[in-house]
Amino acid sequence: MEDYRISTGVRGLDLMLRGGLIPGRVYLVKGAPGTGKTTLGMHFAMAGVLNGENVLYITLEEPGINIRKDFSKLGFDVNNPSFTLIDATPTTEHYVLIEDYFEKFAKNLNKLTESIEEEYKIRRYSRVVIDPISMLKVAATTEAEYRRSFLAFVKVMAKLKATVMLISEIEKSDIEEYLVDGVIELKLIESGDELVRLLKIKKFRGSGFDHRIRRYSLTDRGMIVHYGDDGS
Ligand SMILES: Nc1ncnc2c1ncn2[C@@H]1O[C@H](COP(=O)(O)OP(=O)(O)OP(=O)(O)O)[C@@H](O)[C@H]1O
Ligand SMILES: [Mg+2]
């Protein structure tokens, strides 16, 4: 029997994943600056909204107001009531929010885990995006502590039955890659006098996947992964 899959919101990527992501698991999307990580996160979020799910998107670096502005231009339904965008970017003294989301979500991974559990008391979310987790890694004092809190985070997410997309920059240490259920990497390389965008799936527990490295584009409708079945 075919197992149940959920869409990433990007058709070519769903095909590479042999139908989509296995729900209730934690995935990592990593890539250099400007490779389209937030775009993929938003596709994943909006696919949930279209599917009638509640989605929680926690932004830790790019201000929420910019995300809403840029992605509504690309045709994303950023004001849909099923889409909750939490802006946990650092605030300044001059800009006091009613609730300090930075303190709650961005201080460290344990706090983030607790705060997501709190959010679940208000509303059940089936998809969660954390964009990016890099700040939380810096907050950990030792690698052992980070690994421990990361595993605790993964366990809590499984208990909440959430499908999670973690976004990360390319870093020297990549312990998350071992601890998550799947890893997707976005790359920008030079080929002759052209910049080429490439996507590869590095790992996908519980499933086969496309081992080809595929080209993708960022367009005025978001990300398109060129799987090659329809000439795209
Ligand atoms: N309408 C568009 N047409 C083509 N490309 C676009 C369009 N809008 C945005 N882009 C491209 O998308 C890229 C940014 O995508 P995105 O914010 O998802 O990347 P990111 O990996 O999250 O970046 P960062 O590391 O800064 O967070 C930009 O470099 C831009 O060139
Ligand atoms: Mg981004």
Side-chain angles (χ1 to χ4, degrees):
M1 201 186 83
E2 276 296 296
D3 55 350
Y4 180 61
R5 300 296 177 103
I6 59 167
S7 176
T8 59
V10 178
R11 184 173 172 276
L13 178 56
D14 287 344
L15 291 169
M16 290 178 76
L17 293 162
R18 306 282 181 253
L21 298 169
I22 300 172
R25 297 189 169 192
V26 178
Y27 300 95
L28 180 70
V29 170
K30 56 191 299 182
T35 47
K37 302 179 298 294
T38 300
T39 308
L40 179 52
M42 287 299 287
H43 276 291
F44 169 73
M46 289 302 144
V49 168
L50 279 175
N51 197 31
E53 304 168 26
N54 290 323
V55 180
L56 180 64
Y57 198 110
I58 303 167
T59 176
L60 298 174
E61 277 180 15
E62 188 177 352
I65 190 164
N66 293 6
I67 292 191
R68 282 193 200 279
K69 217 189 302 164
D70 293 350
F71 287 92
S72 63
K73 266 197 302 197
L74 298 181
F76 290 75
D77 187 10
V78 292
N79 295 317
N80 192 298
S82 302
F83 177 67
T84 303
L85 179 65
I86 289 184
D87 186 337
T89 55
T91 50
T92 65
E93 283 169 50
H94 308 290
Y95 181 65
V96 181
L97 290 172
I98 304 161
E99 222 172 340
D100 192 344
Y101 286 118
F102 177 78
E103 285 295 321
K104 279 176 72 182
F105 291 90
K107 264 286 153 94
N108 60 57
L109 199 45
N110 293 333
K111 273 211 127 174
L112 175 89
T113 310
E114 269 171 37
S115 301
I116 292 177
E117 275 191 294
E118 284 297 308
E119 287 298 312
Y120 265 72
K121 290 183 186 149
I122 307 166
R123 205 173 198 191
R124 223 192 85 58
Y125 295 95
S126 41
R127 299 188 189 211
V128 177
V129 183
I130 297 161
D131 181 8
I133 52 160
S134 317
M135 287 261 281
L136 301 159
K137 191 171 187 166
V138 179
T141 45
T142 63
E143 189 165 304
E145 183 211 314
Y146 181 67
R147 187 180 274 261
R148 214 167 26 240
S149 15
F150 197 94
L151 282 172
F153 168 81
V154 171
K155 260 194 179 164
V156 170
M157 293 303 118
K159 189 186 81 187
L160 299 174
K161 295 190 168 55
T163 312
V164 182
M165 187 177 275
L166 300 174
I167 291 171
S168 139
E169 289 151 15
I170 304 271
E171 284 157 313
K172 272 187 233 94
S173 143
D174 52 9
I175 47 171
E176 302 89 357
E177 287 197 35
Y178 295 97
L179 308 177
V180 295
D181 297 299
V183 181
I184 296 166
E185 192 169 309
L186 304 176
K187 268 200 175 142
L188 187 64
I189 61 152
E190 279 183 36
S191 168
D193 59 356
E194 196 193 359
L195 282 174
V196 179
R197 296 187 186 279
L198 297 175
L199 182 148
K200 74 172 166 203
I201 299 170
K202 292 176 80 174
K203 158 177 174 177
F204 189 15
R205 285 181 184 156
S207 173
F209 60 88
D210 183 7
H211 286 67
R212 290 265 318 249
I213 299 171
R214 303 278 178 183
R215 285 189 180 218
Y216 71 95
S217 312
L218 297 175
T219 74
D220 57 7
R221 303 313 276 172
M223 179 182 281
I224 297 171
V225 173
H226 305 289
Y227 189 74
D229 63 326
D230 56 357
S232 64

